[in-house]
mmCIF file of all heavy atoms in Angstrom:
data_model
loop_
_atom_site.group_PDB
_atom_site.id
_atom_site.type_symbol
_atom_site.label_atom_id
_atom_site.label_comp_id
_atom_site.label_asym_id
_atom_site.label_seq_id
_atom_site.Cartn_x
_atom_site.Cartn_y
_atom_site.Cartn_z
ATOM 1 N N ARG A 259 43.088 -31.405 -31.980
ATOM 2 C CA ARG A 259 43.859 -31.835 -33.140
ATOM 3 C C ARG A 259 44.947 -30.798 -33.408
ATOM 4 O O ARG A 259 46.117 -31.142 -33.680
ATOM 5 C CB ARG A 259 42.965 -31.931 -34.373
ATOM 6 C CG ARG A 259 42.569 -33.350 -34.730
ATOM 7 C CD ARG A 259 41.498 -33.309 -35.763
ATOM 8 N NE ARG A 259 41.977 -32.655 -37.014
ATOM 9 C CZ ARG A 259 42.495 -33.292 -38.017
ATOM 10 N NH1 ARG A 259 42.668 -34.577 -37.978
ATOM 11 N NH2 ARG A 259 42.889 -32.636 -39.088
ATOM 12 N N ALA A 260 44.567 -29.537 -33.397
ATOM 13 C CA ALA A 260 45.529 -28.485 -33.691
ATOM 14 C C ALA A 260 46.635 -28.470 -32.658
ATOM 15 O O ALA A 260 47.828 -28.356 -32.996
ATOM 16 C CB ALA A 260 44.799 -27.138 -33.719
ATOM 17 N N ILE A 261 46.273 -28.613 -31.360
ATOM 18 C CA ILE A 261 47.308 -28.563 -30.303
ATOM 19 C C ILE A 261 48.243 -29.748 -30.422
ATOM 20 O O ILE A 261 49.422 -29.600 -30.294
ATOM 21 C CB ILE A 261 46.563 -28.534 -28.923
ATOM 22 C CG1 ILE A 261 45.910 -27.166 -28.780
ATOM 23 C CG2 ILE A 261 47.567 -28.818 -27.803
ATOM 24 C CD1 ILE A 261 45.118 -26.997 -27.506
ATOM 25 N N ARG A 262 47.643 -30.920 -30.675
ATOM 26 C CA ARG A 262 48.499 -32.105 -30.787
ATOM 27 C C ARG A 262 49.504 -31.927 -31.927
ATOM 28 O O ARG A 262 50.704 -32.206 -31.734
ATOM 29 C CB ARG A 262 47.633 -33.330 -31.051
ATOM 30 C CG ARG A 262 48.418 -34.595 -31.240
ATOM 31 C CD ARG A 262 47.521 -35.807 -31.506
ATOM 32 N NE ARG A 262 48.348 -36.931 -31.746
ATOM 33 C CZ ARG A 262 48.842 -37.256 -32.939
ATOM 34 N NH1 ARG A 262 48.566 -36.478 -33.943
ATOM 35 N NH2 ARG A 262 49.595 -38.313 -33.088
ATOM 36 N N GLY A 263 49.023 -31.479 -33.060
ATOM 37 C CA GLY A 263 49.907 -31.304 -34.197
ATOM 38 C C GLY A 263 51.020 -30.340 -33.913
ATOM 39 O O GLY A 263 52.194 -30.605 -34.173
ATOM 40 N N LYS A 264 50.695 -29.240 -33.237
ATOM 41 C CA LYS A 264 51.704 -28.199 -32.938
ATOM 42 C C LYS A 264 52.712 -28.737 -31.915
ATOM 43 O O LYS A 264 53.902 -28.526 -31.980
ATOM 44 C CB LYS A 264 51.038 -26.952 -32.392
ATOM 45 C CG LYS A 264 50.536 -26.020 -33.480
ATOM 46 C CD LYS A 264 51.718 -25.266 -34.088
ATOM 47 C CE LYS A 264 51.375 -24.816 -35.485
ATOM 48 N NZ LYS A 264 52.560 -24.383 -36.238
ATOM 49 N N PHE A 265 52.141 -29.461 -30.946
ATOM 50 C CA PHE A 265 53.012 -30.044 -29.911
ATOM 51 C C PHE A 265 54.084 -30.957 -30.548
ATOM 52 O O PHE A 265 55.258 -30.874 -30.257
ATOM 53 C CB PHE A 265 52.211 -30.836 -28.879
ATOM 54 C CG PHE A 265 52.162 -30.190 -27.540
ATOM 55 C CD1 PHE A 265 50.955 -29.823 -26.955
ATOM 56 C CD2 PHE A 265 53.322 -29.970 -26.803
ATOM 57 C CE1 PHE A 265 50.880 -29.227 -25.732
ATOM 58 C CE2 PHE A 265 53.266 -29.360 -25.534
ATOM 59 C CZ PHE A 265 52.022 -29.012 -25.025
ATOM 60 N N LEU A 266 53.563 -31.841 -31.410
ATOM 61 C CA LEU A 266 54.472 -32.790 -32.040
ATOM 62 C C LEU A 266 55.563 -32.083 -32.837
ATOM 63 O O LEU A 266 56.729 -32.468 -32.789
ATOM 64 C CB LEU A 266 53.678 -33.725 -32.984
ATOM 65 C CG LEU A 266 52.834 -34.743 -32.313
ATOM 66 C CD1 LEU A 266 52.130 -35.644 -33.321
ATOM 67 C CD2 LEU A 266 53.707 -35.630 -31.407
ATOM 68 N N ALA A 267 55.161 -31.011 -33.550
ATOM 69 C CA ALA A 267 56.116 -30.310 -34.375
ATOM 70 C C ALA A 267 57.137 -29.548 -33.544
ATOM 71 O O ALA A 267 58.343 -29.581 -33.739
ATOM 72 C CB ALA A 267 55.396 -29.374 -35.347
ATOM 73 N N LEU A 268 56.628 -28.859 -32.501
ATOM 74 C CA LEU A 268 57.484 -27.985 -31.702
ATOM 75 C C LEU A 268 58.421 -28.777 -30.754
ATOM 76 O O LEU A 268 59.501 -28.311 -30.503
ATOM 77 C CB LEU A 268 56.603 -27.035 -30.849
ATOM 78 C CG LEU A 268 55.969 -25.894 -31.618
ATOM 79 C CD1 LEU A 268 54.941 -25.228 -30.763
ATOM 80 C CD2 LEU A 268 57.069 -24.903 -32.047
ATOM 81 N N ARG A 269 57.939 -29.930 -30.312
ATOM 82 C CA ARG A 269 58.748 -30.715 -29.404
ATOM 83 C C ARG A 269 60.098 -31.043 -30.030
ATOM 84 O O ARG A 269 61.116 -31.151 -29.328
ATOM 85 C CB ARG A 269 57.984 -31.997 -29.116
ATOM 86 C CG ARG A 269 58.413 -32.718 -27.854
ATOM 87 C CD ARG A 269 57.498 -33.901 -27.592
ATOM 88 N NE ARG A 269 57.459 -34.771 -28.743
ATOM 89 C CZ ARG A 269 56.985 -36.024 -28.723
ATOM 90 N NH1 ARG A 269 56.490 -36.505 -27.568
ATOM 91 N NH2 ARG A 269 56.939 -36.736 -29.785
ATOM 92 N N GLU A 270 60.142 -31.156 -31.339
ATOM 93 C CA GLU A 270 61.365 -31.533 -32.019
ATOM 94 C C GLU A 270 62.172 -30.276 -32.443
ATOM 95 O O GLU A 270 63.259 -30.427 -32.959
ATOM 96 C CB GLU A 270 61.058 -32.316 -33.294
ATOM 97 C CG GLU A 270 60.191 -33.586 -33.036
ATOM 98 C CD GLU A 270 60.934 -34.560 -32.184
ATOM 99 O OE1 GLU A 270 62.143 -34.702 -32.270
ATOM 100 O OE2 GLU A 270 60.266 -35.176 -31.336
ATOM 101 N N GLU A 271 61.609 -29.069 -32.219
ATOM 102 C CA GLU A 271 62.356 -27.896 -32.602
ATOM 103 C C GLU A 271 63.650 -27.780 -31.832
ATOM 104 O O GLU A 271 63.747 -28.158 -30.666
ATOM 105 C CB GLU A 271 61.502 -26.631 -32.324
ATOM 106 C CG GLU A 271 60.418 -26.402 -33.304
ATOM 107 C CD GLU A 271 60.920 -25.609 -34.547
ATOM 108 O OE1 GLU A 271 62.018 -25.105 -34.504
ATOM 109 O OE2 GLU A 271 60.185 -25.634 -35.542
ATOM 110 N N ASP A 272 64.656 -27.207 -32.504
ATOM 111 C CA ASP A 272 65.980 -27.111 -31.899
ATOM 112 C C ASP A 272 65.947 -26.365 -30.549
ATOM 113 O O ASP A 272 66.591 -26.732 -29.593
ATOM 114 C CB ASP A 272 66.943 -26.395 -32.840
ATOM 115 C CG ASP A 272 67.547 -27.371 -33.812
ATOM 116 O OD1 ASP A 272 67.257 -28.540 -33.734
ATOM 117 O OD2 ASP A 272 68.290 -26.923 -34.700
ATOM 118 N N PHE A 273 65.133 -25.297 -30.512
ATOM 119 C CA PHE A 273 65.160 -24.516 -29.279
ATOM 120 C C PHE A 273 64.570 -25.234 -28.096
ATOM 121 O O PHE A 273 64.985 -25.039 -26.969
ATOM 122 C CB PHE A 273 64.593 -23.096 -29.480
ATOM 123 C CG PHE A 273 63.109 -23.050 -29.768
ATOM 124 C CD1 PHE A 273 62.169 -23.212 -28.824
ATOM 125 C CD2 PHE A 273 62.677 -22.717 -31.047
ATOM 126 C CE1 PHE A 273 60.815 -23.138 -29.075
ATOM 127 C CE2 PHE A 273 61.352 -22.605 -31.358
ATOM 128 C CZ PHE A 273 60.406 -22.836 -30.350
#
Side-chain angles (χ1 to χ4, degrees):
Chain A
R259 260 171 60 93
I261 289 176
R262 176 180 177 276
K264 275 283 155 196
F265 249 119
L266 286 181
L268 284 168
R269 200 175 55 165
E270 304 298 323
E271 282 278 344
D272 277 357
F273 65 75

